[in-house]
Amino acid sequence: MPHHLRDKYAIVGVGYTPQGKIDGRTALSFHLQACANAINDAGVKRKDIDGLIIYRSFTPLLGEPEVTPYLVAQHLGISPKILSQEANCARGHLLHAIAFLEAGLCNYVLISYGDNALSGGRRFLSEATHGESFKDNAAFGEFGLVSNYAMAARRAMFEFQTGPDIWKEIAVSQRKWANLNPRAVMYDRGLTYADYLKAKWVVEPFRTYDTCLISDGGRAFIVTSLERAKDLKQTPALIMGFGSYHPSIDIHQSDYMAGPTGALESGKQALQMADITIDDITACEIYDCFTYTVEITLQDYGFFGPGEGKDWFSDGRIAPGGDLPVNTSGGLLSEAYFMGLTPLTEAVMQIMGRCGERQLGPKTATKEPEIVLVSDNGGVFQSHATMILRRL
Amino acid sequence: MGYDKPIPEPNADTSPFWDGCRRHQLRFQRCSDCGHIRFPASFLCPGCHSFDSQWIESIGRGKIYSFAIYHVAFDQAFKDSLPYVTAIVELAEGPRLLTNIVGCRPSDVRCDMPVEVVWDDTAAKFALPKFRPLP
Ligand SMILES: [Zn+2]
């Protein structure tokens, strides 16, 4: 994204909902609760919301109607100028929001995700094909993303000798963060290296603790200009850099399972726009559908070289008290699964200083979250975005 | 009880591939203009945007790019097949495709292992191209 947009726009409010296994709720209800809470959190007037972007519609569960942007807007009692719904999650949504703001089409853009995935029994199998026929793959017994990412991880084991020894550091460190976060689904459940290693294979080389959660709930946030942000309730999280790159190749034809993924190009763009180097980053919120995704993303960003992860992750570097905190809410592995909104909104809350026991800084013996790098990834490394947020 | 696993769902682009499989021919499209060999089947050459192509038959040999071992049945029809191996095989002609590795123990499968096609005819209406290690 062009350099002149650096520090021009900001995230100014976050909306949460109950999360985990929440029975008796529609997908729409989670969108509405997250949106209403985000509007209230930011202190924006409801009628001033002139852009609404919601995550792509999955096949509705439990006999519910499809959640469309019209439906969400109707129930929120708003009539925006821009309504949008698409698959590219927070990575696309944030970029589009900035484009709408920069073009003068909108002043306040609300972005939302909601689903009753857990209570409705969504298994992200047919949802997880990205262009290929679900049945053509299922004929070979391939179902969804676990095995796709497991294959990628296997190739990385072959090319640069990574493996469960590194991934257990990621799973255990993120769980330690979740244990500081009362909202996290895994808040009161510890995880040791031994627990990790004795868990059964799901799709080898992945065990249970390598895979993200499936959650009921929603999350929303609001984007506006820095000028407008100054009149609102919260200290804004400034958007300092943004990069995106979408290799788009289906995993079955991919030749970059072991990297470099889209993170390499996307990360470069974001750092360039922010006019900083990787050493200026004080914490990361990395899209963590699987443990390996965290490793390859950080590797492609240049935090360490191929095969150097073993040393880099040791000594609790990404855990509370570590040199480079990663996924401080517990992430998709241990907090809750709300697509790219889980990492992005956590970065915002850390920058705003609203994270309680898990707050970066003296409370967790970590650096102050001056500049936080956020990643988002989609398909199987088909789509990547990097967002760099900072304190005002 | 008949064959209860999912079967492929050919469409206008992919049915020549699955038709070839029924005759035990593993086929790909070769671009008539630039010679690029592509898979999955497509109307357009991603290399040069030519609409013209011919179907060519693969020699059916290649190597395993990567693989995963299922220890959990995501569909009950696969329960008796556990553990089984899904893999990406890179054919000698260039294309990569999803398949299963058969004819060896899952624990013996390795990346870059040379393999050859073997046809699975157990589904009445389809033949599935699977691969086994070359001797
Ligand atoms: Zn061509």
Side-chain angles (χ1 to χ4, degrees):
Chain A
M1 215 161 65
H3 191 265
H4 73 270
L5 298 181
R6 180 185 194 262
D7 297 338
K8 191 170 174 186
Y9 297 100
I11 298 176
V12 293
V14 174
Y16 288 87
T17 73
Q19 57 191 40
K21 177 86 159 66
I22 314 293
D23 289 317
R25 293 278 304 263
T26 61
L28 174 64
S29 77
F30 288 121
H31 272 287
L32 298 176
Q33 189 171 21
C35 286
N37 286 342
I39 291 168
N40 186 49
D41 189 60
V44 179
K45 288 195 208 72
R46 184 204 336 182
K47 299 288 180 197
D48 287 342
I49 299 290
D50 47 13
L52 172 66
I53 306 176
I54 73 167
Y55 186 67
R56 74 164 172 167
S57 172
F58 289 134
T59 310
L61 302 169
L62 305 170
E64 293 167 22
E66 184 186 343
V67 180
T68 64
Y70 317 120
L71 195 64
V72 175
Q74 178 194 335
H75 285 261
L76 285 175
I78 62 173
S79 300
K81 290 182 198 159
I82 297 284
L83 282 181
S84 174
Q85 175 168 35
E86 53 105 21
N88 269 347
C89 198
R91 56 195 179 281
H93 298 167
L94 184 60
L95 185 59
H96 294 179
I98 293 168
F100 294 143
L101 295 165
E102 179 69 12
L105 296 171
C106 294
N107 293 328
Y108 302 91
V109 180
L110 172 60
I111 296 169
S112 173
Y113 172 82
D115 198 16
N116 45 7
L118 187 57
S119 57
R122 191 185 300 289
R123 295 172 68 210
F124 293 92
L125 301 181
S126 56
E127 290 89 349
T129 61
H130 292 270
E132 289 194 336
S133 156
F134 174 70
K135 286 185 181 170
D136 288 7
N137 297 343
F140 294 98
E142 184 184 80
F143 300 94
L145 295 167
V146 184
S147 63
N148 290 160
Y149 279 89
M151 273 185 194
R154 171 70 69 179
R155 183 69 196 183
M157 289 170 75
F158 179 72
E159 287 192 18
F160 56 81
Q161 288 76 52
T162 185
D165 269 353
I166 292 176
W167 306 331
K168 76 180 190 317
E169 296 284 347
I170 296 167
V172 167
S173 298
Q174 289 193 206
R175 182 61 62 87
K176 286 179 182 165
W177 284 111
N179 295 150
L180 299 174
N181 178 8
R183 277 201 186 94
V185 170
M186 295 297 177
Y187 174 55
D188 53 7
R189 269 172 278 183
L191 180 70
T192 64
Y193 294 145
D195 294 334
Y196 174 93
L197 290 170
K198 72 174 183 247
K200 289 201 172 81
W201 299 117
V202 180
V203 182
E204 193 180 339
F206 282 163
R207 298 172 164 89
T208 314
Y209 299 114
D210 291 303
T211 70
C212 66
L213 302 164
I214 291 176
S215 312
D216 295 326
R219 193 69 58 85
F221 64 95
I222 293 173
V223 193
T224 190
S225 66
L226 176 58
E227 281 318 297
R228 290 192 166 83
K230 285 174 177 164
D231 300 328
L232 300 175
K233 263 169 41 186
Q234 309 295 347
T235 312
L238 281 183
I239 300 162
M240 189 185 191
F242 191 102
S244 56
Y245 190 71
H246 311 304
S248 301
I249 296 168
D250 190 278
I251 189 70
H252 299 131
Q253 280 75 47
S254 154
D255 60 0
Y256 54 86
M257 288 184 182
T261 65
L264 178 71
E265 173 61 25
S266 172
K268 272 189 206 161
Q269 289 174 21
L271 289 169
Q272 198 167 27
M273 174 178 163
D275 213 1
I276 57 169
T277 73
I278 201 86
D279 299 329
D280 297 313
I281 304 296
T282 57
C284 291
E285 306 294 344
I286 300 295
Y287 182 87
D288 54 327
C289 48
F290 299 95
T291 48
Y292 169 66
T293 317
V294 177
E295 180 192 9
I296 192 65
T297 303
L298 291 169
Q299 180 172 300
D300 286 343
Y301 282 155
F303 285 101
F304 51 87
E308 294 168 10
K310 192 163 175 53
D311 291 335
W312 193 86
F313 281 104
S314 65
D315 300 330
R317 185 190 292 260
I318 67 170
D323 276 357
L324 189 81
V326 173
N327 295 348
T328 54
S329 71
L332 304 169
L333 297 176
S334 285
E335 187 211 339
Y337 188 76
F338 301 128
M339 305 283 161
L341 278 76
T342 300
L344 182 59
T345 52
E346 173 65 9
V348 172
M349 294 298 278
Q350 286 287 355
I351 285 169
M352 289 177 172
R354 302 165 66 195
C355 287
E357 290 304 304
R358 71 180 191 282
Q359 179 62 47
L360 294 170
K363 215 169 225 173
T364 52
T366 51
K367 285 177 232 163
E368 290 286 343
E370 295 295 337
I371 300 177
V372 181
L373 181 150
V374 181
S375 81
D376 191 12
N377 156 70
V380 188
F381 302 129
Q382 282 152 285
S383 172
H384 193 97
T386 312
M387 294 143 274
I388 300 174
L389 306 183
R390 77 168 180 93
R391 280 186 170 164
L392 189 56
Chain B
M1 184 110 173
Y3 189 81
D4 60 349
K5 290 175 177 168
I7 57 170
E9 192 173 44
N11 59 40
D13 289 330
T14 63
S15 45
F17 173 80
W18 292 112
D19 289 346
C21 288
R22 270 189 213 107
R23 300 191 298 270
H24 291 188
Q25 293 176 333
L26 186 63
R27 303 196 305 165
F28 303 120
Q29 285 162 292
R30 182 170 59 202
C31 174
S32 304
D33 288 299
C34 77
H36 175 67
I37 298 173
R38 65 181 184 260
F39 185 84
S42 174
F43 188 75
L44 178 76
C45 172
C48 74
H49 283 196
S50 168
F51 299 135
D52 298 324
S53 67
Q54 297 113 29
W55 287 88
I56 59 154
E57 189 177 347
S58 165
I59 63 165
R61 290 187 175 194
K63 59 182 183 180
I64 296 171
Y65 176 62
S66 197
F67 65 98
I69 306 173
Y70 272 76
H71 291 268
V72 171
F74 285 58
D75 179 320
Q76 285 310 298
F78 285 88
K79 204 164 176 235
D80 295 335
S81 308
L82 296 174
Y84 64 90
V85 179
T86 57
I88 306 299
V89 165
E90 182 184 334
L91 273 301
E93 294 83 5
R96 290 169 185 214
L97 51 75
L98 171 68
T99 185
N100 296 127
I101 303 301
V102 296
C104 68
R105 287 178 304 180
S107 56
D108 290 336
V109 178
R110 299 282 180 273
C111 290
D112 281 0
M113 185 183 252
V115 288
E116 65 181 359
V117 71
V118 48
W119 294 97
D120 182 341
D121 290 314
T122 43
K125 284 158 82 189
F126 285 90
L128 297 175
K130 300 189 173 181
F131 286 79
R132 68 181 171 208
L134 272 170

